[in-house]
Amino acid sequence: MIFHARVIAATTIAALVLGAAPLRAHDMWIEPTTFSPSTGDIVGLKLRVGQDLLGDPLPADPALINQFVFEDGTGRRPVVARNGADPAGLLRVASPGLIVVGYRSNPSRVDMSAEKFNQYLKEEGLDAIAALRSRRKETGAPARDLFARCAKSLVLSGTPSEAQGDRVLGFTLELLAERNPYATPAGRDMPFRLTYERQPLAGALVVAINKSNPAEKLTARTDADGRVRLRLNRAGVWLVKAVHVVPAPEGANADWASYWASLTFELKG
Amino acid sequence: MRITSSLAFALGAVLLGSTAARAHEIGTTRVSALLKDGRYAVEVVTDAAALAEKLDAVSDRARPRPFGDVYVGRVHVMFDGVETIPSVDRVLSQSADGATRVATIRLTGALPTGAKTFSWKYGWTFASYALTVRRDLSDNSETQWLEGGDTSAPFNLSAPTRTATDRLRTAWRYFALGFTHIVPYGFDHVLFVLGIFLLGSRPRTVLWQVSAFTVAHSITLGLSLYGFVTAPPAIVEPLIALSIAYVAIENVFLSELRSWRVALVFAFGLLHGMGFAGALKELGLRRADFLAALLTFNLGVEAGQLAVLGTAFTLVAWPCRRRDWYRRLVVVPASVLIACTALYWTVERLR
C-alpha cells in the first residue's frame, strides 16, 4: 500500500539508491537435484532465478508455466509440476540415456527506468537494441519489457555416448548443445547453436558460467548460423545463457519482448 | 519451500495480478518489519540452502567472518533515506512440512529519533518477494511486492494524518457498503424486511418490528466488530435463513401484531447483526475507523431497509391494503414464496 502523497519522495529515494547500486539482470535456470540419476530415480527439478549461478528458489507457479516438459528416448512428457513448491517439478527416469528438461514461462512485464534498461542492454550485450533506441532517440525513455524464460537442462542416466544428443524443444529462443556434454571432457570445445523462432540467431552474445568459478565468464557471439564454440575449461555444473530482445508485438502494452535462454549440464573431469 | 506455498502464491497472484503477461517470478523469501516502541525488528525468512550458497560464494575460507558481519552488508535498513546498521541474529529451522531448511534472520535496532520513514532493500534476493510492515500505531500491515534487489517505497512511521475529506470519504464508503449490503446484494435481508412488512398493512405494525430489528442488529454488529461476541458464519448464516422462513410462515397464520412477534424479530435482528459484522470484518477495517465505519455502515443498512419498505409500501400496500383480497392474494402467496426460498437457503447453507 503506497500513500500517494509520498510517491515523489519515494521515487527520489529509490532513484538515489538504485543509481548507486550495480544492476544485474537476473538469469533463470533449471537445477536438477542430480545431473546423473540412475534408472528409476525421481529427479527434483529446481527452478532458480539469480546471477552467477547463485539463485533463489522459484516455486512452480501455474500462472507462469507455459511448458514444463522432459524428453528422453521414448518421447516428450510433462514434468510433474508441484505448485507453490521447490523443487518446482519432478520427473522419473524410465530408462538410461540423455534427458532434456525444458521450462518455458509465460511473459512477465517489468517496467524499467531509462538508466536501468540501458544498463541491462549493455550487460547482456544487446548492442543492436541499444543502437536502435539511439536511432529512435529513445535512449532517455523508460522501457516496458515483457520477458519470457526458455530454460533447458541436460541430465544423463547411465553411460554417456556420442550418439546421445540434446533435442530441439521448440522454445522461442533456444540453446542447443550440438555435442553431448556428458561425452565431452573438460577443456574441449563445446559447440552450441542458438535459434530464435527456430531460425539461427546471428550476432548474439552467449555466456558460459561454471558454478565453481562464476566470476570467470566465457563469452562468444554467434556466427551467421547461430553457432558458437566455447572451451569449457572446468568440470562441474555449467550454465550457458543468451538473451534476445525484439520490439514487443502490437497491442502487447509493452515496448520490448525479451527471451532468456539457458542450458545447464554437468561436465565430467 | 512449502511454508510459503499456496497462501503466498494466492496472495502474490492477487497483489501482482494473475494474468499471464503480468505474472511475476515469486520466490520463497518473505520480509516483515515491526516498527514499535522506538525500535525496529526486520525478519527475513528465506531458504537456508540458497543463503548458505550465497554466503559460501563471498566467504574467504582462510579468513572466515561472522555471519552478521557478512549479512549486514547485503541488507539496507533506511530511515529517511539514511542507512542504519542493525544487529543480526540467525535461526535455522525446518519448514512446516519438514522438506526444507529455513533461515530466519532478525535485524534489530533503535529507531532514530525523529525518523519519519522506513525503507528497505535486500541485495541478496533475486525473485519477487513481499515486504510487510507493521507500525506501532496501527493493527494493519502494509505490504509491498518488490523485485529482487529493489528498494521499497518509504513507509511512514506514524499513522497517516487524515483530513476531513478523507474521513468524509471513508464515511460515505461505509454508508454505501451498508446500503448495497441490503440492495442489491442482501437478498436474504430484503426478504426478511418484506416478511416484516407483509404481516400487517398498518404503519404501526411495520414500525414496531423494524425498530426492534434495527436496535437488535445494531447491538450485535457493534459487539461483533469489537470482538465481544463471535459466532461462526456456518451457524449464523443458516439461522438467518431460518429466521426469514419463520417470519414468512407466521405471516400465513397471523394477521395482527403480537408482542411475542416483536420479541422474535428482535432476537432475529441479533442474528442478522452478526451477519452484517461478518461482511464488515472481511474488509480488514483499521481500528481507528471502527466507530465511524460502524455508524455509517449501519446507517447505510437502515437506508437500504427503508428503500425496500418504501418501495413495497408505494407499489403494493398503498394501492391495495384496503382491498379484501389483499391478504388472500398478496400477503399469503408472497409469504409462502419467501418461506420456500428461505427454507431452501437454510438447507443449502447447512451443507
Side-chain angles (χ1 to χ4, degrees):
Chain A
M1 214 182 299
I2 300 166
F3 294 100
H4 298 291
R6 282 175 271 138
V7 165
I8 294 171
T11 314
T12 311
I13 292 172
L16 284 173
V17 176
L18 282 173
L23 173 102
R24 300 290 297 272
H26 297 150
D27 300 323
M28 189 259 145
W29 65 94
I30 301 168
E31 210 170 273
T33 46
T34 171
F35 282 96
S36 317
S38 303
T39 303
D41 281 0
I42 303 285
V43 180
L45 301 168
K46 298 186 275 187
L47 304 180
R48 290 292 179 264
V49 59
Q51 62 195 40
D52 295 345
L53 270 170
L54 276 182
D56 279 330
L58 201 61
D61 180 354
L64 273 182
I65 298 173
N66 183 288
Q67 278 186 65
F68 200 7
V69 294
F70 71 101
E71 196 170 307
D72 58 14
T74 60
R76 190 178 299 190
R77 285 191 293 278
V79 162
V80 178
R82 304 164 70 226
N83 293 342
D86 174 55
L90 301 172
L91 68 83
R92 188 178 169 276
V93 182
S95 55
L98 194 70
I99 301 168
V100 183
V101 183
Y103 167 88
R104 181 178 160 203
S105 79
N106 288 317
S108 297
R109 202 181 98 171
V110 61
D111 295 4
M112 281 179 274
S113 66
E115 191 187 6
K116 202 170 171 179
F117 190 64
N118 293 340
Q119 203 175 341
Y120 143 60
L121 293 179
K122 194 175 164 190
E123 281 168 5
E124 299 301 331
L126 298 161
D127 304 349
I129 299 297
L132 179 60
R133 265 168 66 86
S134 177
R135 277 202 304 280
R136 290 178 176 178
K137 301 197 190 316
E138 287 176 358
T139 309
R144 298 166 302 168
D145 180 32
L146 279 180
F147 71 94
R149 308 294 196 175
C150 304
K152 287 171 68 179
S153 187
L154 303 176
V155 172
L156 178 77
S157 167
T159 320
S161 81
E162 288 283 355
Q164 300 158 340
D166 189 1
R167 294 181 185 85
V168 173
L169 295 181
F171 288 177
T172 314
L173 186 69
E174 183 162 353
L175 269 166
L176 187 80
E178 292 197 301
R179 181 183 298 151
N180 179 4
Y182 293 92
T184 309
R188 289 260 306 272
D189 278 4
M190 259 295 296
F192 298 95
R193 192 171 209 203
L194 183 66
T195 54
Y196 173 65
E197 293 182 335
R198 292 179 180 255
Q199 299 300 312
L201 185 66
L205 185 72
V206 177
V207 181
I209 304 168
N210 182 277
K211 186 144 190 162
S212 63
N213 187 19
E216 181 193 40
K217 292 178 175 59
L218 308 178
T219 60
R221 288 216 178 247
T222 50
D223 64 16
D225 287 330
R227 290 196 160 91
V228 285
R229 298 179 81 82
L230 294 166
R231 181 156 296 177
L232 306 183
N233 51 1
R234 290 168 187 272
V237 175
W238 283 91
L239 163 68
V240 182
K241 59 165 200 156
V243 185
H244 186 51
V245 175
V246 293
E250 287 287 320
N253 197 25
D255 307 308
W256 306 98
S258 63
Y259 299 92
W260 297 67
S262 69
L263 180 66
T264 50
F265 51 83
E266 189 173 27
L267 213 59
K268 302 297 175 188
Chain B
M1 204 188 293
R2 275 287 193 190
I3 49 164
T4 56
S5 57
S6 310
L7 188 62
F9 259 83
L11 182 67
V14 168
L15 289 172
L16 291 168
S18 57
T19 56
R22 286 162 58 211
H24 285 233
E25 291 175 334
I26 302 168
T28 55
T29 299
R30 302 286 174 264
V31 181
S32 55
L34 178 66
L35 311 164
K36 190 176 156 70
D37 300 333
R39 295 194 62 77
Y40 67 86
V42 181
E43 198 170 85
V44 179
V45 180
T46 193
D47 184 274
L51 179 66
E53 278 190 7
K54 291 166 193 168
L55 281 169
D56 197 40
V58 297
S59 66
D60 179 353
R61 284 176 202 280
R63 281 185 299 172
R65 292 162 63 203
F67 170 76
D69 291 3
V70 180
Y71 194 76
V72 86
R74 304 291 163 167
V75 291
H76 304 270
V77 177
M78 290 164 281
F79 293 97
D80 298 334
V82 179
E83 195 164 343
T84 180
I85 307 297
S87 302
V88 182
D89 183 33
R90 175 178 54 163
V91 178
L92 295 174
S93 55
Q94 291 293 123
S95 61
D97 63 351
T100 325
R101 277 174 71 74
V102 177
T104 303
I105 301 109
R106 278 177 63 80
L107 309 161
T108 50
L111 288 174
T113 315
K116 290 188 172 55
T117 63
F118 160 78
S119 42
W120 161 263
K121 182 187 172 189
Y122 188 24
W124 250 1
T125 186
F126 307 106
S128 300
Y129 70 100
L131 165 65
T132 305
V133 176
R134 279 177 200 281
R135 279 189 309 254
D136 192 7
L137 298 173
S138 163
D139 293 334
N140 297 78
S141 59
E142 294 177 31
T143 300
Q144 281 182 29
W145 281 85
L146 299 173
E147 297 294 330
D150 276 1
T151 304
S152 75
F155 290 84
N156 263 6
L157 294 188
S158 54
T161 316
R162 315 193 64 208
T163 62
T165 320
D166 287 337
R167 277 193 280 270
L168 209 60
R169 197 177 290 134
T170 305
W172 172 250
R173 197 157 69 91
Y174 286 110
F175 177 85
L177 198 74
F179 189 91
T180 55
H181 195 66
I182 301 295
V183 186
Y185 302 121
F187 194 48
D188 49 354
H189 299 297
V190 169
L191 289 194
F192 187 81
V193 171
L194 286 177
I196 286 173
F197 159 81
L198 284 169
L199 176 64
S201 54
R202 284 190 299 175
R204 194 178 69 90
T205 309
V206 177
L207 199 67
W208 267 107
Q209 295 180 92
V210 165
S211 304
F213 181 63
T214 302
V215 170
H217 77 62
S218 303
I219 291 171
T220 42
L221 172 58
L223 291 177
S224 300
L225 213 54
Y226 279 96
F228 293 116
V229 291
T230 50
I235 295 174
V236 172
E237 292 299 323
L239 283 177
I240 286 176
L242 204 60
S243 72
I244 301 164
Y246 181 88
V247 165
I249 290 166
E250 204 177 50
N251 285 349
V252 178
F253 302 103
L254 199 72
S255 57
E256 284 301 320
L257 183 68
R258 298 278 187 269
S259 52
W260 84 78
R261 164 82 171 209
V262 177
L264 263 174
V265 167
F266 182 85
F268 293 156
L270 295 174
L271 273 176
H272 284 242
M274 285 191 259
F276 293 146
L280 206 49
K281 273 185 194 165
E282 280 171 13
L283 297 173
L285 269 181
R286 297 165 62 92
R287 189 162 267 275
D289 287 338
F290 266 26
L291 192 62
L294 176 66
L295 291 174
T296 49
F297 179 83
N298 214 12
L299 273 176
V301 167
E302 306 319 330
Q305 284 176 189
L306 285 176
V308 172
L309 286 172
T311 308
F313 197 79
T314 311
L315 294 181
V316 182
W318 186 256
C320 317
R321 67 186 174 138
R322 296 193 196 285
R323 312 276 181 186
D324 19 339
W325 46 260
Y326 175 63
R327 185 171 162 73
R328 189 165 38 91
L329 294 182
V330 176
V331 174
V332 173
S335 294
V336 169
L337 203 63
I338 291 171
C340 290
T341 311
L343 284 173
Y344 169 73
W345 281 339
T346 309
V347 175
E348 199 187 37
R349 289 176 185 187
L350 278 171
R351 277 189 204 166

